[in-house]
Amino acid sequence: MVNTYDEIFDAALSLPPGLRAMLAEHLFKSLDAENQLEIDPLWAEEAEKRFQAVEQGEVTLISGEQVLRELRSRSK
């Protein structure tokens, strides 16, 4: 039997909250790359390096508002 997206979605919504959460987690994990277990520690290491750079004053932080202003000015 082939189910449409709407049928699957409706069936998922009829599940109790705990089962919906488990389903969502499984679906989310299915999007991971095959080598996600290798990638995650590398990203954690990079995040730590960036955090340390900020803490040690090695980088200059700018606000999100400024970033958006600069991006918007580039698109004009």
Side-chain angles (χ1 to χ4, degrees):
M1 172 196 296
V2 176
N3 293 316
T4 67
Y5 169 84
D6 289 332
E7 291 171 333
I8 294 168
F9 186 72
D10 289 341
L13 288 179
S14 71
L15 295 171
L19 289 178
R20 286 198 318 264
M22 287 174 53
L23 176 60
E25 181 179 355
H26 286 288
L27 289 171
F28 186 71
K29 284 183 178 180
S30 75
L31 299 174
D32 285 346
E34 288 181 20
N35 57 348
Q36 196 66 44
L37 291 176
E38 297 170 19
I39 294 171
D40 289 344
L42 296 173
W43 272 116
E45 183 180 330
E46 180 63 24
E48 182 62 31
K49 285 180 186 176
R50 292 180 186 196
F51 175 76
Q52 290 302 323
V54 170
E55 287 291 303
Q56 296 171 8
E58 297 172 1
V59 294
T60 303
L61 300 179
I62 60 175
S63 71
E65 292 172 357
Q66 183 178 347
V67 169
L68 291 175
R69 271 195 310 274
E70 291 179 17
L71 288 174
R72 288 182 184 118
S73 71
R74 290 181 189 177
S75 64
K76 292 181 182 180

